[in-house]
Structures are given as structure tokens and as C-alpha cells.
DNA sequence: CGTAGGTTTGAATTGGGTCAATACAGGTGG
DNA sequence: CCACCTGTATTGACCCAATTCAAACCTACG
């Protein structure tokens, strides 16, 4: 039996299903299913559930019924942090990402999951999914790999939260978003963040003012351009460099031109050059 | 065919295997396997691998060959954080806990895993494990639940790292250790930590001096007694309360008595007792 | 429009980090 | 058995990045 090659989702043949570019079908392409298996899998999918901005996909404590794949849009998951209602954002989810893995252990969702913008999802009843995993060994292996990958992702966040300064956290986040969007065929340098500074801060372990300042500093250093929720990455390379750089402030200072207008910038730089060594000297052409 | 009831591991019947109280067999008890399945599972286990303090179970980048269960002892896993060799502790592992889930996605370990003290483990080749998961649907379901539980645990760390002050982090850690040891039949209030302050700090996103100060403050507030690596939890209840309390410093201040010498002498006695006895011995059913 | 929610920025505060000094435990070898 | 030595732990003094508090400002949307 011929194997379905792991081609780009956008080119996948929708002949055996009513949901063109079905995100769930696309998700299991790397599992390298046979055509039969692929049809079998596709047959259990509930296609194209839509939810509006601020609408909940599910609340904490609700039972797990289905796993969902994001087909379009953006969602966040968040969890209660203490006795009283403080919530912390646990993840942001976008196209091609699976929702509900954390509920399998207990059979109940621990997270609220809510749409940050209008979103479409494909779902599959979890009991069906388990059944298919047993019927299709390749799917089982793929699922194990995906669960493991989720664990590794979370370890990445733990590293971010455990030891990085504000600018590195934001830089890592931007690179992460960039890669995830690029993987789905969107621009890797130019996007609109669907979450507020406060939600982002909650995710990154920072207050919203600190997030805002971090954006400003990265912007001053010309690594990005920010206009409210719109982000333009000016240098993916430097954004990556800053994460490994031991002295973040110095790294940013090297690339920063001070002030918001030419005159002020020139004056302050001139003063600095006179007073100190030339490490604050702006880039050529300023 | 009769089902193996999910009884306490320490009472499990070792009749169908050479490894009494085999930690891996115990791990799959909640899966509620039939006797046949249980024997089948047990048959693939490589029993009783021993590793010494500071010995590596595996290094980062080494291929995943086996999953391991900790039978006794304590290990840590850690990951490279940046270009140069800074490592961050990702997890501490003790009796009854599974090692290697994060390697399934890529087939390579991302973490170094090293023993904090002499440890014994049971292992199973991952290919065998996958095969058994397919052959035994109950095992597959159990494994999925365990992977999901691992994701949930990591979310807990993310919450800890994202928003808690030093004392709360240490309090949570102590409660966590307490529960894990209690689940294996050890004392839930009285134990010896196998890791250094630095390793603990790395895990909790703090410098070792800060960990030390946090221990001191919890100790001054009579919630715990600390003597170097020996910890005696004086009030599990208050330790839980402090996590929900909005104003940690005030909470601690309320309970702090200055200059109580009698406490100190009791602590030192307790510490002596721990040092003399083998603290790793279960209190029940030895 | 007008208002509420979101963002930016400044100034003051503080919790944790850094640096440094000392104490202690546990292992080693004499 | 003891003396030594190294790695670990505690504690104090000072510093700095992030938080808190506050004031504009913007923009999205009814």
C-alpha cells in the first residue's frame, strides 16, 4: 500500500475528506500513514469548529472530551495559581498546534482555554483517538513523539523563566513565535501579536510594564520595530545572539542610539564619547 | 482472567519475576493489567541497574535506548542553557519516577542525567516498550496518562518560576518532595535533601545564597527546621498556607519568634538521628 | 465622538543578585 | 585517630533589575 508523503499541508490532497487543508490531518502527516490509515484517521475528525474572540474552548475542571488542532487563529491557556483567582498564562496556541494534552492524565482540563481572536479548530474525540492509536502503530509512535516534544517545549520555558532577564525572555518569545508562524507559511519577521502585554507578561513571568520596557529596549537597539501589537523583526540573527550573550545590557547598548530624534541623539552621544570610552558609539551612519 | 489489583507496590507479589518490588512493574500497576499482560511486561524489564553518586545515567545527545524507573536513590537531570556551558537543573528524580520521556520526541536525550547518590533503576528498551504499548491497550492508556501528568508537573514548575517569591518556591519544593517521598512510604516530614543549595537554586530559578536565606526564614518562622541537608517539616499546613498567602513576608513575620534557643537544640538532635539512620529506608513494610 | 482598555514612560522602592567573610561537614591521608 | 583540606552553607553589606505607583497617551469599538 502506497504511503502518503509528508508534503506541505497546503498541497495535501483533500480527496478523501471534506475539510481542505484540515489541520488535524496535516498534523499526522509526519507519522507517514498509509493511505488507508490516513482515511481512517480523517474519518474520525470533527472538522471546522469555530470560536469567537474571548470565547472559551473549555474551562478548567471540565472533562476532556476531544483533542483539538488549531486550524486558524490564536488561543491562550491559563491556570489558577493560588487559592484566590490569580491566573497565569501557560501557553499560546496557534495554527498547527494541539490542545488538550494536559487533560489526558486526569481526564479533566486543568487549564482554561480561550480564543485571543476568532479561531477555527478541528477536533477528535479522545476515545476515538486512543482507539486509532492502537489500530495504527505509526500514529501511536507519532503521538508519543508529540507528547515528548511538548515536554521538551515546556522545559524550554522553564529555562527561560528560571534564569533569563526580561529582554532575553521577550527575545526568545519573539523568535519562538517567528518560527511557529514561519512553519505555517506566514512571515517570520512581521506579525501582529494577538495578546496584551499583560498576558504576555503573565506567560513570561514579568509585569506588563516590564514587557513594554523590554520591547522598547529591543526596539532602541534596532533589533525589532514595535508599534503596539505589530512587531517587525529587523534582525533575527541579533535576536538570537542576544540570548547567548552574557551581558545583555552591554549588547543592547552597543546597538542603541539614544533618544527619539536626531538632535538629542547626537548631543547625548557626543557628550558620552567625550566622557567615556567609545563603547556607546552608535552604528556607522548615525 | 483475573486482574492485578492496584495495591501498594510494597505489597506486590513478586512471584512472576526475579526483581522483588520491581519499580517498573509497580509503575504499571495503575494500568490494571491482566496477569498475562503483567507477566509479559515484567519479562521485558532489565532489572536492577546500579549507578554510583556522580555517575551519569546518560549524557545529552546520547541516543534514547531505554526508559528507566528509579528503584532507589536520587538523580537530577540538567540541560545546557546557552552557547557556553551554563547548565540548569530541570528535574530531580526519586523512587517510582520515570526517566527519559523528553528523549522520545527526537530519539536523543536533551538532558544530562546524573545520580545525586547511589541509585538503582529498572529499565526497558524503548522499542520493547512501544511494542508492549501496542500489544497491551491498557498499558498504552496508562502511558499516555503518565506523559500527560509529566506535562502537568512541568506546568506547575512554570507557575512556580513565573510568579513566586523565593520563600514560596522553597516551600513548594519541600511540599513536593514531601508528597513524593510519602507516596513511596517514607516520612513526609523528615528527610535529607540529596542536592546542594546550588543545584536546588538552579532548579528553582534562584541563586544558592537566596535558597539558603529562604530556608533560614522558613526556619525562623518555625515552619521547618533545617540543619544543612536535613529538613524537618514542622507544619505541613502552614507550609501550604504560605503558598496561597498574598503577603509572604508578613505571614513569616507573624510566626517568627526571635532568639529561641530551644528550637535549635531540638533541630540538632533530630539531625543527629537522621544521620545515624538510613533515611532512605521506608517507614512501612520494610 | 467618548469612553474603557491597553500601552508607554518616569520615579521610587525592593527582592534577589553579587561580592565577601566565615563556619562547617565529610572525606583523605598521615 | 586526628589534622587537614575542599566543597558546601550561612550570613552580612551593597547593588541593580524588576516591580510598584503614577501619569499620560493611544486606539479600538460601541
Amino acid at each position: 500500500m502506497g504511503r502518503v508523503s509528508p508534503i506541505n499541508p497546503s498541497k495535501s490532497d483533500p480527496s478523501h475528506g471534506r475539510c481542505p487543508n484540515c489541520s488535524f490531518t496535516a498534523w499526522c502527516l509526519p507519522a507517514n500513514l498509509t493511505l488507508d490509515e490516513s482515511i481512517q484517521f480523517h474519518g474520525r475528525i470533527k472538522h471546522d469548529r469555530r470560536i469567537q474572540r474571548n470565547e472559551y474552548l473549555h474551562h478548567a475542571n471540565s472533562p476532556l472530551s476531544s483533542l483539538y488542532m488549531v486550524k486558524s487563529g490564536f488561543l491562550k491557556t491559563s491556570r489558577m495559581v493560588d487559592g484566590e483567582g490569580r491566573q497565569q498564562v501557560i501557553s499560546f496556541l496557534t495554527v498547527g498546534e494541539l490542545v488538550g494534552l494536559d487533560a489526558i492524565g486526569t481526564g479533566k482540563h486543568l487549564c482554561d482555554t480561550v480564543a485571543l481572536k476568532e479561531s477555527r479548530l478541528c477536533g477528535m474525540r479522545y476515545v476515538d483517538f486512543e482507539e486509532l492509536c492502537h489500530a495504527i502503530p505509526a500514529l501511536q509512535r507519532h503521538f508519543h513523539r508529540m507528547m515528548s516534544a511538548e515536554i521538551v517545549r515546556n522545559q524550554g520555558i522553564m529555562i527561560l523563566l528560571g534564569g533569563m532577564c526580561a529582554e532575553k525572555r521577550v527575545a526568545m518569545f519573539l523568535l519562538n513565535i517567528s518560527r511557529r508562524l514561519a512553519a505555517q507559511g506566514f512571515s517570520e519577521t512581521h506579525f501582529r501579536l494577538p495578546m496584551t502585554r499583560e498576558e504576555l507578561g503573565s506567560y513570561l513571568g514579568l509585569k506588563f510594564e516590564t514587557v513594554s520596557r523590554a520591547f522598547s529596549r529591543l526596539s532602541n537597539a534596532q533589533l525589532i520595530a514595535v508599534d503596539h501589537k505589530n512587531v517587525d523583526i529587523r534582525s533575527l540573527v541579533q535576536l538570537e545572539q542576544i540570548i547567548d550573550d552574557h551581558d545583555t545590557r552591554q549588547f543592547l547598548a552597543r546597538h542603541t542610539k539614544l533618544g527619539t530624534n536626531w538632535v538629542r541623539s547626537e548631543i547625548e552621544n557626543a557628550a558620552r564619547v567625550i566622557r567615556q570610552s567609545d563603547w556607546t558609539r552608535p552604528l556607522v551612519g548615525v
Side-chain angles (χ1 to χ4, degrees), chain A residues 216-248:
Chain A
S216 297
R217 293 210 188 101
L218 294 175
S219 177
N220 286 337
Q222 329 257 327
L223 304 200
I224 62 174
V226 193
D227 175 52
H228 294 86
K229 295 198 152 83
N230 300 302
V231 175
D232 185 22
I233 297 180
R234 292 292 174 82
S235 171
L236 282 167
V237 174
Q238 288 182 324
L239 224 40
E240 272 154 17
Q241 281 173 350
I242 204 175
I243 291 171
D244 282 340
D245 197 292
H246 181 62
D247 190 341
T248 308

PDB file of all heavy atoms in Angstrom, chain A residues 216-248:
ATOM      1  N   SER A 216      10.701  48.169  24.206  1.00  0.00           N
ATOM      2  CA  SER A 216      11.309  49.458  23.888  1.00  0.00           C
ATOM      3  C   SER A 216      12.825  49.336  23.746  1.00  0.00           C
ATOM      4  O   SER A 216      13.421  49.895  22.831  1.00  0.00           O
ATOM      5  CB  SER A 216      10.983  50.477  24.982  1.00  0.00           C
ATOM      6  OG  SER A 216       9.592  50.687  25.039  1.00  0.00           O
ATOM      7  N   ARG A 217      13.447  48.588  24.642  1.00  0.00           N
ATOM      8  CA  ARG A 217      14.909  48.456  24.592  1.00  0.00           C
ATOM      9  C   ARG A 217      15.347  47.700  23.341  1.00  0.00           C
ATOM     10  O   ARG A 217      16.305  48.092  22.682  1.00  0.00           O
ATOM     11  CB  ARG A 217      15.418  47.730  25.839  1.00  0.00           C
ATOM     12  CG  ARG A 217      15.212  48.537  27.106  1.00  0.00           C
ATOM     13  CD  ARG A 217      16.271  48.259  28.158  1.00  0.00           C
ATOM     14  NE  ARG A 217      15.903  48.912  29.410  1.00  0.00           N
ATOM     15  CZ  ARG A 217      15.349  48.266  30.445  1.00  0.00           C
ATOM     16  NH1 ARG A 217      15.137  46.963  30.380  1.00  0.00           N
ATOM     17  NH2 ARG A 217      15.031  48.915  31.550  1.00  0.00           N
ATOM     18  N   LEU A 218      14.629  46.616  23.019  1.00  0.00           N
ATOM     19  CA  LEU A 218      14.970  45.871  21.800  1.00  0.00           C
ATOM     20  C   LEU A 218      14.758  46.754  20.583  1.00  0.00           C
ATOM     21  O   LEU A 218      15.495  46.677  19.604  1.00  0.00           O
ATOM     22  CB  LEU A 218      14.121  44.598  21.698  1.00  0.00           C
ATOM     23  CG  LEU A 218      14.365  43.528  22.757  1.00  0.00           C
ATOM     24  CD1 LEU A 218      13.366  42.378  22.608  1.00  0.00           C
ATOM     25  CD2 LEU A 218      15.788  42.987  22.671  1.00  0.00           C
ATOM     26  N   SER A 219      13.743  47.592  20.679  1.00  0.00           N
ATOM     27  CA  SER A 219      13.440  48.499  19.585  1.00  0.00           C
ATOM     28  C   SER A 219      14.530  49.565  19.446  1.00  0.00           C
ATOM     29  O   SER A 219      15.014  49.844  18.345  1.00  0.00           O
ATOM     30  CB  SER A 219      12.074  49.145  19.842  1.00  0.00           C
ATOM     31  OG  SER A 219      11.775  50.077  18.842  1.00  0.00           O
ATOM     32  N   ASN A 220      14.930  50.158  20.578  1.00  0.00           N
ATOM     33  CA  ASN A 220      16.003  51.152  20.557  1.00  0.00           C
ATOM     34  C   ASN A 220      17.290  50.575  19.986  1.00  0.00           C
ATOM     35  O   ASN A 220      18.057  51.270  19.337  1.00  0.00           O
ATOM     36  CB  ASN A 220      16.272  51.679  21.967  1.00  0.00           C
ATOM     37  CG  ASN A 220      15.185  52.619  22.438  1.00  0.00           C
ATOM     38  OD1 ASN A 220      14.462  53.211  21.629  1.00  0.00           O
ATOM     39  ND2 ASN A 220      15.032  52.737  23.749  1.00  0.00           N
ATOM     40  N   ALA A 221      17.502  49.290  20.242  1.00  0.00           N
ATOM     41  CA  ALA A 221      18.723  48.648  19.757  1.00  0.00           C
ATOM     42  C   ALA A 221      18.563  48.157  18.322  1.00  0.00           C
ATOM     43  O   ALA A 221      19.416  47.448  17.805  1.00  0.00           O
ATOM     44  CB  ALA A 221      19.108  47.489  20.670  1.00  0.00           C
ATOM     45  N   GLN A 222      17.449  48.510  17.700  1.00  0.00           N
ATOM     46  CA  GLN A 222      17.208  48.217  16.280  1.00  0.00           C
ATOM     47  C   GLN A 222      17.057  46.739  15.976  1.00  0.00           C
ATOM     48  O   GLN A 222      17.156  46.346  14.810  1.00  0.00           O
ATOM     49  CB  GLN A 222      18.344  48.779  15.400  1.00  0.00           C
ATOM     50  CG  GLN A 222      18.999  50.026  15.900  1.00  0.00           C
ATOM     51  CD  GLN A 222      18.542  51.256  15.149  1.00  0.00           C
ATOM     52  OE1 GLN A 222      18.258  51.183  13.972  1.00  0.00           O
ATOM     53  NE2 GLN A 222      18.426  52.357  15.853  1.00  0.00           N
ATOM     54  N   LEU A 223      16.843  45.934  16.979  1.00  0.00           N
ATOM     55  CA  LEU A 223      16.656  44.507  16.703  1.00  0.00           C
ATOM     56  C   LEU A 223      15.238  44.254  16.194  1.00  0.00           C
ATOM     57  O   LEU A 223      15.003  43.312  15.435  1.00  0.00           O
ATOM     58  CB  LEU A 223      16.905  43.658  17.951  1.00  0.00           C
ATOM     59  CG  LEU A 223      18.241  43.799  18.661  1.00  0.00           C
ATOM     60  CD1 LEU A 223      18.498  42.587  19.536  1.00  0.00           C
ATOM     61  CD2 LEU A 223      19.376  43.966  17.673  1.00  0.00           C
ATOM     62  N   ILE A 224      14.320  45.078  16.658  1.00  0.00           N
ATOM     63  CA  ILE A 224      12.937  44.963  16.214  1.00  0.00           C
ATOM     64  C   ILE A 224      12.349  46.365  16.037  1.00  0.00           C
ATOM     65  O   ILE A 224      12.931  47.343  16.490  1.00  0.00           O
ATOM     66  CB  ILE A 224      12.061  44.207  17.246  1.00  0.00           C
ATOM     67  CG1 ILE A 224      12.030  44.976  18.574  1.00  0.00           C
ATOM     68  CG2 ILE A 224      12.563  42.799  17.463  1.00  0.00           C
ATOM     69  CD1 ILE A 224      11.091  44.394  19.621  1.00  0.00           C
ATOM     70  N   ALA A 225      11.208  46.415  15.369  1.00  0.00           N
ATOM     71  CA  ALA A 225      10.411  47.636  15.378  1.00  0.00           C
ATOM     72  C   ALA A 225       9.053  47.257  15.940  1.00  0.00           C
ATOM     73  O   ALA A 225       8.477  46.230  15.563  1.00  0.00           O
ATOM     74  CB  ALA A 225      10.270  48.194  13.964  1.00  0.00           C
ATOM     75  N   VAL A 226       8.564  48.050  16.883  1.00  0.00           N
ATOM     76  CA  VAL A 226       7.304  47.735  17.545  1.00  0.00           C
ATOM     77  C   VAL A 226       6.346  48.899  17.419  1.00  0.00           C
ATOM     78  O   VAL A 226       6.718  50.056  17.606  1.00  0.00           O
ATOM     79  CB  VAL A 226       7.510  47.480  19.057  1.00  0.00           C
ATOM     80  CG1 VAL A 226       6.262  46.858  19.655  1.00  0.00           C
ATOM     81  CG2 VAL A 226       8.714  46.621  19.299  1.00  0.00           C
ATOM     82  N   ASP A 227       5.128  48.579  17.046  1.00  0.00           N
ATOM     83  CA  ASP A 227       4.074  49.578  17.133  1.00  0.00           C
ATOM     84  C   ASP A 227       2.879  48.878  17.766  1.00  0.00           C
ATOM     85  O   ASP A 227       2.148  48.151  17.094  1.00  0.00           O
ATOM     86  CB  ASP A 227       3.720  50.130  15.753  1.00  0.00           C
ATOM     87  CG  ASP A 227       2.534  51.071  15.828  1.00  0.00           C
ATOM     88  OD1 ASP A 227       2.580  51.997  16.654  1.00  0.00           O
ATOM     89  OD2 ASP A 227       1.560  50.842  15.087  1.00  0.00           O
ATOM     90  N   HIS A 228       2.753  49.095  19.056  1.00  0.00           N
ATOM     91  CA  HIS A 228       1.717  48.395  19.810  1.00  0.00           C
ATOM     92  C   HIS A 228       1.800  46.899  19.568  1.00  0.00           C
ATOM     93  O   HIS A 228       2.798  46.296  19.916  1.00  0.00           O
ATOM     94  CB  HIS A 228       0.344  48.987  19.507  1.00  0.00           C
ATOM     95  CG  HIS A 228       0.238  50.388  20.006  1.00  0.00           C
ATOM     96  ND1 HIS A 228       0.639  51.473  19.282  1.00  0.00           N
ATOM     97  CD2 HIS A 228      -0.172  50.886  21.190  1.00  0.00           C
ATOM     98  CE1 HIS A 228       0.474  52.584  19.985  1.00  0.00           C
ATOM     99  NE2 HIS A 228      -0.032  52.258  21.155  1.00  0.00           N
ATOM    100  N   LYS A 229       0.785  46.317  18.940  1.00  0.00           N
ATOM    101  CA  LYS A 229       0.818  44.853  18.798  1.00  0.00           C
ATOM    102  C   LYS A 229       1.559  44.392  17.541  1.00  0.00           C
ATOM    103  O   LYS A 229       1.834  43.201  17.375  1.00  0.00           O
ATOM    104  CB  LYS A 229      -0.622  44.297  18.785  1.00  0.00           C
ATOM    105  CG  LYS A 229      -1.345  44.528  20.113  1.00  0.00           C
ATOM    106  CD  LYS A 229      -2.549  43.620  20.234  1.00  0.00           C
ATOM    107  CE  LYS A 229      -2.882  43.290  21.665  1.00  0.00           C
ATOM    108  NZ  LYS A 229      -3.686  44.300  22.357  1.00  0.00           N
ATOM    109  N   ASN A 230       1.912  45.326  16.684  1.00  0.00           N
ATOM    110  CA  ASN A 230       2.631  44.949  15.470  1.00  0.00           C
ATOM    111  C   ASN A 230       4.123  44.877  15.725  1.00  0.00           C
ATOM    112  O   ASN A 230       4.712  45.812  16.276  1.00  0.00           O
ATOM    113  CB  ASN A 230       2.364  45.972  14.363  1.00  0.00           C
ATOM    114  CG  ASN A 230       0.894  46.052  14.022  1.00  0.00           C
ATOM    115  OD1 ASN A 230       0.285  45.050  13.655  1.00  0.00           O
ATOM    116  ND2 ASN A 230       0.302  47.226  14.190  1.00  0.00           N
ATOM    117  N   VAL A 231       4.706  43.776  15.318  1.00  0.00           N
ATOM    118  CA  VAL A 231       6.138  43.579  15.524  1.00  0.00           C
ATOM    119  C   VAL A 231       6.800  43.301  14.183  1.00  0.00           C
ATOM    120  O   VAL A 231       6.280  42.551  13.366  1.00  0.00           O
ATOM    121  CB  VAL A 231       6.411  42.398  16.473  1.00  0.00           C
ATOM    122  CG1 VAL A 231       7.900  42.131  16.587  1.00  0.00           C
ATOM    123  CG2 VAL A 231       5.816  42.667  17.838  1.00  0.00           C
ATOM    124  N   ASP A 232       7.939  43.968  13.992  1.00  0.00           N
ATOM    125  CA  ASP A 232       8.743  43.707  12.806  1.00  0.00           C
ATOM    126  C   ASP A 232      10.141  43.340  13.282  1.00  0.00           C
ATOM    127  O   ASP A 232      10.810  44.158  13.916  1.00  0.00           O
ATOM    128  CB  ASP A 232       8.773  44.967  11.930  1.00  0.00           C
ATOM    129  CG  ASP A 232       9.500  44.727  10.628  1.00  0.00           C
ATOM    130  OD1 ASP A 232       9.608  43.549  10.213  1.00  0.00           O
ATOM    131  OD2 ASP A 232       9.979  45.706  10.032  1.00  0.00           O
ATOM    132  N   ILE A 233      10.551  42.135  13.018  1.00  0.00           N
ATOM    133  CA  ILE A 233      11.885  41.726  13.441  1.00  0.00           C
ATOM    134  C   ILE A 233      12.890  42.230  12.423  1.00  0.00           C
ATOM    135  O   ILE A 233      12.831  41.881  11.251  1.00  0.00           O
ATOM    136  CB  ILE A 233      11.978  40.196  13.595  1.00  0.00           C
ATOM    137  CG1 ILE A 233      11.018  39.735  14.696  1.00  0.00           C
ATOM    138  CG2 ILE A 233      13.401  39.777  13.925  1.00  0.00           C
ATOM    139  CD1 ILE A 233      11.020  38.242  14.928  1.00  0.00           C
ATOM    140  N   ARG A 234      13.811  43.082  12.888  1.00  0.00           N
ATOM    141  CA  ARG A 234      14.793  43.680  11.992  1.00  0.00           C
ATOM    142  C   ARG A 234      16.014  42.795  11.823  1.00  0.00           C
ATOM    143  O   ARG A 234      16.694  42.840  10.804  1.00  0.00           O
ATOM    144  CB  ARG A 234      15.238  45.049  12.539  1.00  0.00           C
ATOM    145  CG  ARG A 234      14.155  46.106  12.522  1.00  0.00           C
ATOM    146  CD  ARG A 234      13.837  46.472  11.085  1.00  0.00           C
ATOM    147  NE  ARG A 234      12.701  47.389  11.001  1.00  0.00           N
ATOM    148  CZ  ARG A 234      12.799  48.713  11.176  1.00  0.00           C
ATOM    149  NH1 ARG A 234      13.972  49.255  11.450  1.00  0.00           N
ATOM    150  NH2 ARG A 234      11.729  49.465  11.088  1.00  0.00           N
ATOM    151  N   SER A 235      16.320  42.029  12.865  1.00  0.00           N
ATOM    152  CA  SER A 235      17.491  41.157  12.774  1.00  0.00           C
ATOM    153  C   SER A 235      17.274  39.884  13.582  1.00  0.00           C
ATOM    154  O   SER A 235      17.473  39.852  14.788  1.00  0.00           O
ATOM    155  CB  SER A 235      18.739  41.890  13.278  1.00  0.00           C
ATOM    156  OG  SER A 235      19.809  40.964  13.371  1.00  0.00           O
ATOM    157  N   LEU A 236      16.863  38.844  12.870  1.00  0.00           N
ATOM    158  CA  LEU A 236      16.704  37.546  13.525  1.00  0.00           C
ATOM    159  C   LEU A 236      18.027  37.088  14.133  1.00  0.00           C
ATOM    160  O   LEU A 236      18.069  36.527  15.230  1.00  0.00           O
ATOM    161  CB  LEU A 236      16.224  36.502  12.506  1.00  0.00           C
ATOM    162  CG  LEU A 236      14.745  36.546  12.134  1.00  0.00           C
ATOM    163  CD1 LEU A 236      14.468  35.700  10.903  1.00  0.00           C
ATOM    164  CD2 LEU A 236      13.888  36.058  13.295  1.00  0.00           C
ATOM    165  N   VAL A 237      19.107  37.384  13.407  1.00  0.00           N
ATOM    166  CA  VAL A 237      20.437  36.942  13.862  1.00  0.00           C
ATOM    167  C   VAL A 237      20.782  37.566  15.209  1.00  0.00           C
ATOM    168  O   VAL A 237      21.159  36.872  16.161  1.00  0.00           O
ATOM    169  CB  VAL A 237      21.521  37.322  12.825  1.00  0.00           C
ATOM    170  CG1 VAL A 237      22.908  36.995  13.354  1.00  0.00           C
ATOM    171  CG2 VAL A 237      21.257  36.589  11.515  1.00  0.00           C
ATOM    172  N   GLN A 238      20.622  38.892  15.307  1.00  0.00           N
ATOM    173  CA  GLN A 238      20.980  39.547  16.557  1.00  0.00           C
ATOM    174  C   GLN A 238      20.047  39.156  17.690  1.00  0.00           C
ATOM    175  O   GLN A 238      20.445  39.071  18.847  1.00  0.00           O
ATOM    176  CB  GLN A 238      20.983  41.070  16.361  1.00  0.00           C
ATOM    177  CG  GLN A 238      22.165  41.533  15.525  1.00  0.00           C
ATOM    178  CD  GLN A 238      22.205  43.036  15.367  1.00  0.00           C
ATOM    179  OE1 GLN A 238      21.161  43.678  15.252  1.00  0.00           O
ATOM    180  NE2 GLN A 238      23.400  43.590  15.373  1.00  0.00           N
ATOM    181  N   LEU A 239      18.789  38.892  17.329  1.00  0.00           N
ATOM    182  CA  LEU A 239      17.841  38.437  18.341  1.00  0.00           C
ATOM    183  C   LEU A 239      18.291  37.092  18.923  1.00  0.00           C
ATOM    184  O   LEU A 239      18.118  36.814  20.110  1.00  0.00           O
ATOM    185  CB  LEU A 239      16.456  38.307  17.700  1.00  0.00           C
ATOM    186  CG  LEU A 239      15.240  38.839  18.455  1.00  0.00           C
ATOM    187  CD1 LEU A 239      15.490  40.146  19.166  1.00  0.00           C
ATOM    188  CD2 LEU A 239      14.052  38.954  17.525  1.00  0.00           C
ATOM    189  N   GLU A 240      18.887  36.275  18.043  1.00  0.00           N
ATOM    190  CA  GLU A 240      19.424  35.009  18.536  1.00  0.00           C
ATOM    191  C   GLU A 240      20.700  35.222  19.335  1.00  0.00           C
ATOM    192  O   GLU A 240      20.934  34.572  20.351  1.00  0.00           O
ATOM    193  CB  GLU A 240      19.695  34.050  17.362  1.00  0.00           C
ATOM    194  CG  GLU A 240      18.474  33.211  17.007  1.00  0.00           C
ATOM    195  CD  GLU A 240      18.481  32.746  15.553  1.00  0.00           C
ATOM    196  OE1 GLU A 240      19.539  32.788  14.903  1.00  0.00           O
ATOM    197  OE2 GLU A 240      17.401  32.349  15.069  1.00  0.00           O
ATOM    198  N   GLN A 241      21.512  36.164  18.860  1.00  0.00           N
ATOM    199  CA  GLN A 241      22.773  36.429  19.558  1.00  0.00           C
ATOM    200  C   GLN A 241      22.539  36.886  20.989  1.00  0.00           C
ATOM    201  O   GLN A 241      23.234  36.481  21.919  1.00  0.00           O
ATOM    202  CB  GLN A 241      23.575  37.498  18.810  1.00  0.00           C
ATOM    203  CG  GLN A 241      24.302  36.956  17.596  1.00  0.00           C
ATOM    204  CD  GLN A 241      24.953  38.060  16.771  1.00  0.00           C
ATOM    205  OE1 GLN A 241      24.708  39.241  17.009  1.00  0.00           O
ATOM    206  NE2 GLN A 241      25.772  37.663  15.813  1.00  0.00           N
ATOM    207  N   ILE A 242      21.530  37.736  21.161  1.00  0.00           N
ATOM    208  CA  ILE A 242      21.335  38.339  22.476  1.00  0.00           C
ATOM    209  C   ILE A 242      21.015  37.282  23.527  1.00  0.00           C
ATOM    210  O   ILE A 242      21.310  37.448  24.718  1.00  0.00           O
ATOM    211  CB  ILE A 242      20.230  39.417  22.436  1.00  0.00           C
ATOM    212  CG1 ILE A 242      20.452  40.406  23.576  1.00  0.00           C
ATOM    213  CG2 ILE A 242      18.850  38.814  22.539  1.00  0.00           C
ATOM    214  CD1 ILE A 242      19.498  41.559  23.554  1.00  0.00           C
ATOM    215  N   ILE A 243      20.433  36.176  23.083  1.00  0.00           N
ATOM    216  CA  ILE A 243      20.069  35.134  24.036  1.00  0.00           C
ATOM    217  C   ILE A 243      21.302  34.446  24.604  1.00  0.00           C
ATOM    218  O   ILE A 243      21.340  34.082  25.773  1.00  0.00           O
ATOM    219  CB  ILE A 243      19.127  34.113  23.362  1.00  0.00           C
ATOM    220  CG1 ILE A 243      17.790  34.814  23.093  1.00  0.00           C
ATOM    221  CG2 ILE A 243      18.928  32.880  24.227  1.00  0.00           C
ATOM    222  CD1 ILE A 243      16.848  34.038  22.256  1.00  0.00           C
ATOM    223  N   ASP A 244      22.331  34.304  23.779  1.00  0.00           N
ATOM    224  CA  ASP A 244      23.558  33.667  24.250  1.00  0.00           C
ATOM    225  C   ASP A 244      24.513  34.657  24.906  1.00  0.00           C
ATOM    226  O   ASP A 244      25.421  34.257  25.627  1.00  0.00           O
ATOM    227  CB  ASP A 244      24.284  32.982  23.077  1.00  0.00           C
ATOM    228  CG  ASP A 244      23.641  31.654  22.719  1.00  0.00           C
ATOM    229  OD1 ASP A 244      22.925  31.109  23.572  1.00  0.00           O
ATOM    230  OD2 ASP A 244      23.858  31.181  21.597  1.00  0.00           O
ATOM    231  N   ASP A 245      24.282  35.952  24.645  1.00  0.00           N
ATOM    232  CA  ASP A 245      25.233  36.954  25.141  1.00  0.00           C
ATOM    233  C   ASP A 245      25.175  37.042  26.661  1.00  0.00           C
ATOM    234  O   ASP A 245      24.108  37.091  27.266  1.00  0.00           O
ATOM    235  CB  ASP A 245      24.922  38.313  24.524  1.00  0.00           C
ATOM    236  CG  ASP A 245      26.092  39.257  24.664  1.00  0.00           C
ATOM    237  OD1 ASP A 245      26.409  39.661  25.806  1.00  0.00           O
ATOM    238  OD2 ASP A 245      26.702  39.586  23.639  1.00  0.00           O
ATOM    239  N   HIS A 246      26.363  37.062  27.248  1.00  0.00           N
ATOM    240  CA  HIS A 246      26.432  37.061  28.702  1.00  0.00           C
ATOM    241  C   HIS A 246      25.913  38.379  29.277  1.00  0.00           C
ATOM    242  O   HIS A 246      25.202  38.402  30.271  1.00  0.00           O
ATOM    243  CB  HIS A 246      27.875  36.828  29.167  1.00  0.00           C
ATOM    244  CG  HIS A 246      28.015  36.799  30.648  1.00  0.00           C
ATOM    245  ND1 HIS A 246      27.381  35.861  31.445  1.00  0.00           N
ATOM    246  CD2 HIS A 246      28.697  37.619  31.501  1.00  0.00           C
ATOM    247  CE1 HIS A 246      27.680  36.096  32.720  1.00  0.00           C
ATOM    248  NE2 HIS A 246      28.463  37.156  32.777  1.00  0.00           N
ATOM    249  N   ASP A 247      26.253  39.489  28.640  1.00  0.00           N
ATOM    250  CA  ASP A 247      25.908  40.808  29.164  1.00  0.00           C
ATOM    251  C   ASP A 247      24.880  41.500  28.264  1.00  0.00           C
ATOM    252  O   ASP A 247      25.224  42.232  27.352  1.00  0.00           O
ATOM    253  CB  ASP A 247      27.171  41.665  29.300  1.00  0.00           C
ATOM    254  CG  ASP A 247      26.895  42.943  30.076  1.00  0.00           C
ATOM    255  OD1 ASP A 247      25.712  43.329  30.186  1.00  0.00           O
ATOM    256  OD2 ASP A 247      27.855  43.546  30.568  1.00  0.00           O
ATOM    257  N   THR A 248      23.614  41.238  28.555  1.00  0.00           N
ATOM    258  CA  THR A 248      22.530  41.718  27.704  1.00  0.00           C
ATOM    259  C   THR A 248      22.528  43.241  27.556  1.00  0.00           C
ATOM    260  O   THR A 248      22.341  43.774  26.470  1.00  0.00           O
ATOM    261  CB  THR A 248      21.174  41.284  28.286  1.00  0.00           C
ATOM    262  OG1 THR A 248      21.211  39.881  28.527  1.00  0.00           O
ATOM    263  CG2 THR A 248      20.046  41.600  27.313  1.00  0.00           C
TER     264      THR A 248
END
